[in-house]
Amino acid sequence: MEFENLAQSTAQLPDIEEVEFNAHPRRYKKLRVISISLFFLVLAVGVGILFFFKDLMFTLPFIIGWLLLYAFALLAEHKGFKIRGYALRERDISYRKGWIWYNLTTVPFNRIQHCEISQGPLGRIFKLSQLKVYTAGGSSSDLFIGGLDPEQAKKLREFIINKAGLDE
Amino acid sequence: MSEAKFSEPTRQHYLGVVIYFLRAARRGLSLLITFVVLSTFNTKFIIPLIIAFIVGGILMVVFAILQYKNFTFKVDEKYLIIHKGVLVKDKTKIPLERIQSVHIEEPLLQRLLGLASVQVDTAGSQGKELEVPALETEDAVALQKVLRAKKEEKIEEVKPQAEAEPTGEEEKSQEEIEESRTLIHLNIPSLLKVGLTDNHLKNGFVALAIVFGYAMQLEEYFQGYVSGLIEENFDEIRRMAYGMLVVSIVAFLIISILISLVKAIIKHYDFTARLASEQFYVKTGLLKREEYRIPLNKIQIMEWRTNPLRKLAKMETAHIYQSQSQEAQRKQAVEIPGCYQPQTDAIMKEVFELEEDRNHTLLTPHRRVYSMVLISFITLPFIAATIITYFAAGLQLFLELAGLIALIVFFVWKYVNSVELDIDGELITIKKGWVFPKRIVIPAYKVQSVSVSQNIFQKRRNLSHFTIFTAAGDRKFPFVSFKKSMELHNYLLYKAESSKRSWM
């Protein structure tokens, strides 16, 4: 594709694919595996209770299905974790993720409205923070980067706030 | 003078009590209907009904008074502060510079009482749309003025180097409106034309759904009496229904067209859109007169939509999307009905400051893959349903299914062939839709963020979805080659990051 009429041709534009992406600390993978396992545990207990009172006929297919799904989720997490990462450039921040559903989102600093750090209960145990970058106009364009070292998250936030020209 | 007016906590007009009471009453109405219907079946409900009615009424009056008493608002140097709430006290503090737009609404009830309500919209995901209802009309106008003036002041303070907006704009605004030129004014004939070319089927089905909804509710009250009746006489009813098919289709069409007309008249009565140097002014509505003032630089997305009837009349409806909180986005795009080519050109020229013709680059989705995915998603449920009911229904159903699938394939293919994205250096234009064509225009530099996504099946074919996020919502472009997506990604970032123009 050629954007013939532009000041710059697309070939000269900075290419996001050439940027090095920063990976998460290894312990973030553990956290994600635990949270996936918790989800499947709750699912198993919930459905198990249902069957206990109802009908034992579906127990075996359910267990097989449950195991397959659980294994698949772990596989997807394992594959996906290699892709997960953020990248900073002079004027924007990007995050990419997903093995089954790959997604790369980039937010220019001059479009950022607000930036904050949060930490959930699992995050407190693993000493990991989440960086949330908000843009105007609704949650769909916001960028959440989980699994950051708290120190790193703080630095990132300061960097972004500085670049975006936000105060406080 | 007017500035001092709202610096102290201010109450609404005392008739606000009436508004609050009527709002509560409207909410209680369907409950009331339930009770009334129940009591017609069984007389033992009558006494409790009367008691519930009285107690409910008293409670509503008390609540309305408390709501009025507890609602105060004030505007200080930095914030608009609203206190409200009866059981849960709520305090909202909005920084003035965060305010995106302020407009006045006059719903029928308030208009009858000479009141108006001020709507304050703030952008951002934490943003909420705020309402200050039941003000005397002059007070509403004064509040709107104060908020706009202070907001401008704040913005100037924060960014002294920002491009010099004409100061004292607020005082000028009245003259400006008069000076501005009328873009579209719908007189009665053109109003009827807009109504006659509306999407009658949609209006008809929406009405039908509402009627059905009520019918189902009633059915519950009647405890299955009606459906029992229908089941007993099913064959007879079916025979009648076939005979009445033509009659009912004609009746449905006539009613649908009538609904379209009524809708057009209520919504667009005396519609006026004026274009001043920096702003759109829109005034519209029969029962509820609505007034919008849209600064042109706040416009993030414009959409032109049409339908087969309007295409015949060469008429389109323009939709304006401004930077707004998500809540507000869902509720309102400002609509400009009855756009012909000259109006469309004028809007494009003013809003997007188009100069000479620029070169265009066209992107198209991978048509075959896109069609196949759409077709399988749409037809799978039908196929499954047919297989399940095969034993009961037999071969005829399969023939009908084949016809249906052929129809779906045709429509999907036509739709997919209409999808394209055009980028010309300043504007992104996405076209989609065959029966209901839609043209989405987004200035490239207003992009908030961009994203490329690709699922594992697309990976094999090197395809991807591209999403453009703006302060007024996001727009997707599906099944485009991954390479082109990345080029578009890089290009739009370059446009947004290198632009110094005000975008919100």
Side-chain angles (χ1 to χ4, degrees), chain A residues 1-3 5-6 8 15-16 91-92 100 102-106 108 110-111 114 134-137 139-140, chain B residues 326 329 361 363 423 445 447-456 469 471 487 489-491 494 496-497 503:
Chain A
M1 171 177 56
E2 292 290 320
F3 293 110
N5 58 320
L6 308 177
Q8 267 170 296
D15 190 353
I16 186 72
R91 287 164 188 262
D92 55 32
I100 297 167
Y102 172 84
N103 180 288
L104 165 71
T105 303
T106 308
N110 59 355
R111 296 290 181 263
H114 179 60
Y134 295 98
T135 60
S139 52
S140 55
Chain B
Q326 229 169 4
Q329 271 168 33
T361 306
L363 293 184
I423 178 147
Y445 76 95
V447 162
Q448 291 271 308
S449 71
V450 282
S451 109
V452 177
S453 52
Q454 180 183 52
N455 64 41
I456 206 159
F469 297 94
E487 278 179 21
H489 193 97
N490 291 331
Y491 177 62
Y494 160 70
E497 288 164 12
W503 52 281

Side-chain angles (χ1 to χ4, degrees), chain B residues 133-147:
Chain B
L135 296 178
E136 224 168 321
T137 312
E138 296 138 50
D139 280 348
V141 174
L143 178 62
Q144 186 186 33
K145 240 181 176 172
V146 169
L147 285 176

